[in-house]
Amino acid sequence: MSVDVRIDQGWLTRLLRLRGGLVERNLALRTARVAEIAKSLAPGSMPDYIDWHIEEGPRGLQGVVTCDHPATLYVLEGTRPHLIRARRARALRFKVDGQVVFAKVVRHPGTRPNNFLARALRLGR
């Protein structure tokens, strides 16, 4: 009894690399998982700004997770201590221990870096 096996290279390439193929579906599942982990790790309202998609890259398909929140860079890289001055109003208004406080200048202590996107990528492998 003899068995003859033929592999159609064109069919195999389409199966793996084309849109809707096996590789894209697997990549979409993994990218969505990383995006969900990033949403769980992101501070404040940033989870609402996290999205993902699959795009064609220089070496084939690639999954992309983006965060379009205006303060994303400050959260990822942190900030140094700095002064915050009132620009449009005469004073800044905020709460301290439940009391409303007004000030013209505030010394912000800075923030530590929180690279939640890199952590999500490591956890989503």
Side-chain angles (χ1 to χ4, degrees):
M1 174 188 212
S2 89
V3 176
D4 191 19
V5 177
R6 294 182 187 174
I7 298 174
D8 182 6
Q9 184 66 34
W11 179 82
L12 191 58
T13 301
R14 281 193 304 276
L15 174 70
L16 294 177
R17 297 186 187 255
L18 286 182
R19 291 290 190 159
L22 184 65
V23 170
E24 184 186 10
R25 287 185 300 225
N26 188 21
L27 182 61
L29 287 173
R30 294 178 73 145
T31 306
R33 182 174 58 217
V34 170
E36 287 303 315
I37 294 170
K39 286 180 181 184
S40 70
L41 296 175
S45 65
M46 281 194 189
D48 299 336
Y49 293 86
I50 295 176
D51 196 17
W52 66 273
H53 63 278
I54 305 296
E55 66 183 32
E56 191 75 36
R59 294 173 38 178
L61 296 175
Q62 58 188 17
V64 179
V65 177
T66 59
C67 183
D68 294 333
H69 192 278
T72 302
L73 188 61
Y74 302 119
V75 171
L76 293 177
E77 295 184 0
T79 60
R80 297 169 66 185
H82 57 280
L83 296 177
I84 301 174
R85 299 179 191 280
R87 292 202 290 176
R88 293 187 181 94
R90 284 198 224 164
L92 299 168
R93 179 185 183 272
F94 53 95
K95 286 188 177 184
V96 175
D97 296 329
Q99 297 219 342
V100 178
V101 177
F102 296 93
K104 287 188 176 188
V105 178
V106 176
R107 294 178 193 270
H108 191 282
T111 57
R112 287 189 196 158
N114 177 5
N115 199 343
F116 63 91
L117 291 174
R119 282 200 324 267
L121 185 59
R122 282 193 300 272
L123 292 172
R125 286 186 182 183

